[in-house]
Amino acid sequence: MKKVLALSAAALLMTEVYAAESNVQVYGVIDAAVTGYKVKGQDAMLEFTSGFSMGNRIGIRGREDLGNGYSVGFDLEQGFLLDTGAQFNTWSKDGVVQNGAFNRQSYLDVTGPFGKIAFGRMVSLSGGTGDFNMAKWSPFGIGYGVASFIGYTFNQSRVNNALAYVSPSFDGFKVQAMYSNGTTTDDEKWSHNDHYYGIGAMYDKGSLNAELIFETLDNKSSEALKPAYVISAGGSYKFSMTKVFFGYQYGTQDNKRKQHVILLSSATPLAGGTLKFGGKLLLGKLDGKAKKAGMEDKYNSWNINAAYEYPLSKRTYVYGFAGYADGGKLLSGTASLKASGLPFRANMVNAWQLAVGMNHKF
């Protein structure tokens, strides 16, 4: 027994020494809320919601110094549902959900005077989260239910088989690029895999943050789907008290849709916490073969939101939220959305929502 204890202590000591040398860290977010919401034409619902203001996650990250300004790092991050413990942020291939660890992001990178090069599973440049995200256009981010900007935008979210580059910062200015050799898998020949391409520029200095991003998804695995092209611009400016966020996106896909999204919001210190307020506007039109006889081809939705976050400590805050989205005829409910073929969810484009919750980071 003493020998087992001695071996265990030695193993623990070796782990601590390795962690110190390579700077390994375990981190995470635990977020839960009670939410009430109602989609137009449906019953009001009350439920426990996992990851309302921010997605739940647990991750391991590390970095080893190679000397002369070079280092190797990694990040392995898994999403989960707090109420069931189930995995989250999974992906599908041919309609089959692919379960596995570290679905939020998993990558290995080399950093040096040239910048950073990384390979693995990552969030796209405008995905709204993750270490390579450039879309910092809203204090709500992609959380807070109906307030999430990806409820309206063209959004590729996460891509597999990705290669990313981040330049050094030149007086606040830097560029990023990302390529996916297969957004789900790349086990077919190149011309049959879906590829993602993204390039963006960011300026972040003083009170001003601004981004410009170009992205495309070629949809080569499908004969029916045409490539999608997206241009996004936005950022924020910090005034004496209030930080104002702004954003714009234009997305187009032949035989599907063409649309504009406008975002405007703010974050203001108030009574020891932070008041977040803002809204967004969606204006779009069905394109080509997506148009159906006797069906309206234009769609729209507007949204307004408010949230208040109050810190209990440096790592924990409680929050309250209220949001409302009003969709036009094509976005008026689940049935009309299904008939139109548009990818939006009814509870994001035509619903009201209330929530109270807590968020803890470690």
Side-chain angles (χ1 to χ4, degrees), residues 4-32:
V4 172
L5 290 173
L7 288 173
S8 298
L12 179 60
L13 180 61
M14 290 176 65
T15 300
E16 291 176 346
V17 170
Y18 176 78
E21 291 178 347
S22 58
N23 191 23
V24 175
Q25 176 190 9
V26 177
Y27 68 94
V29 173
I30 300 176
D31 185 288

Side-chain angles (χ1 to χ4, degrees), residues 78-79 87-92 97-100 103-104 121 158:
Q78 174 61 54
Q87 295 181 55
F88 197 54
N89 306 116
T90 56
W91 54 278
S92 298
V97 175
Q98 308 295 309
N99 291 311
N103 281 322
R104 282 185 62 90
R121 174 172 166 83
R158 293 168 174 84

Side-chain angles (χ1 to χ4, degrees), residues 32-36 46-50 52 319 321 354-358:
V34 177
T35 61
L46 180 68
E47 64 182 29
F48 178 85
T49 303
S50 173
F52 184 78
Y319 58 86
F321 170 80
L354 302 172
V356 291
M358 178 180 289

Side-chain angles (χ1 to χ4, degrees), residues 72-86:
V72 173
F74 69 90
D75 196 299
L76 307 173
E77 186 175 289
Q78 174 61 54
F80 63 93
L81 297 175
L82 184 63
D83 49 346
T84 65

Side-chain angles (χ1 to χ4, degrees), residues 63-299:
R63 184 157 299 279
E64 182 180 13
D65 187 0
L66 301 179
N68 298 317
Y70 292 87
S71 65
V72 173
F74 69 90
D75 196 299
L76 307 173
E77 186 175 289
Q78 174 61 54
F80 63 93
L81 297 175
L82 184 63
D83 49 346
T84 65
Q87 295 181 55
F88 197 54
N89 306 116
T90 56
W91 54 278
S92 298
K93 175 65 175 178
D94 299 326
V96 179
V97 175
Q98 308 295 309
N99 291 311
F102 313 125
N103 281 322
R104 282 185 62 90
Q105 62 180 12
S106 54
Y107 66 85
L108 178 70
D109 75 74
V110 177
T111 301
F114 61 86
K116 177 185 289 187
I117 296 177
F119 170 78
R121 174 172 166 83
M122 309 168 197
V123 179
S124 65
L125 299 186
S126 66
T129 187
D131 293 344
F132 298 92
N133 167 59
M134 299 181 71
K136 300 178 180 181
W137 315 319
S138 169
F140 300 102
I142 61 172
Y144 283 105
V146 72
S148 169
F149 69 74
I150 63 173
Y152 281 6
T153 58
F154 269 76
N155 179 49
Q156 175 54 34
S157 187
R158 293 168 174 84
V159 293
N160 295 337
N161 310 298
L163 179 68
Y165 170 71
V166 182
S167 78
S169 177
F170 301 99
D171 197 29
F173 177 82
K174 67 179 180 180
V175 297
Q176 291 185 211
M178 186 179 292
Y179 164 73
S180 168
N181 196 53
T183 56
T184 53
T185 62
D186 62 352
D187 51 10
E188 301 289 342
K189 65 179 183 178
W190 188 88
S191 59
H192 289 176
N193 294 322
D194 293 334
H195 307 99
Y196 165 85
Y197 306 85
I199 186 167
M202 174 186 290
Y203 180 79
D204 190 4
K205 186 176 181 180
S207 298
L208 177 64
N209 170 270
E211 301 91 29
L212 179 63
I213 308 168
F214 300 90
E215 298 169 290
T216 183
L217 179 65
D218 63 16
N219 291 311
K220 284 186 175 291
S221 69
S222 172
E223 294 183 0
L225 293 177
K226 300 294 184 181
Y229 302 96
V230 181
I231 178 171
S232 307
S236 63
Y237 188 84
K238 177 70 167 62
F239 293 92
S240 58
M241 286 288 290
T242 298
K243 190 173 186 178
V244 176
F245 298 78
F246 52 92
Y248 169 78
Q249 186 190 84
Y250 174 72
T252 178
Q253 185 176 15
D254 288 348
N255 291 326
K256 280 292 184 179
R257 54 178 169 146
K258 300 179 187 296
Q259 67 173 47
H260 305 266
V261 177
I262 300 170
L263 307 151
L264 184 62
S265 52
S266 64
T268 305
L270 180 67
T274 302
L275 175 65
K276 299 180 177 183
F277 181 79
K280 54 188 187 289
L281 175 67
L282 167 66
L283 300 170
K285 186 176 182 180
L286 298 178
D287 181 75
K289 295 179 180 179
K291 298 179 182 179
K292 297 178 175 64
M295 177 182 288
E296 186 175 342
D297 63 352
K298 294 182 180 180
Y299 59 91

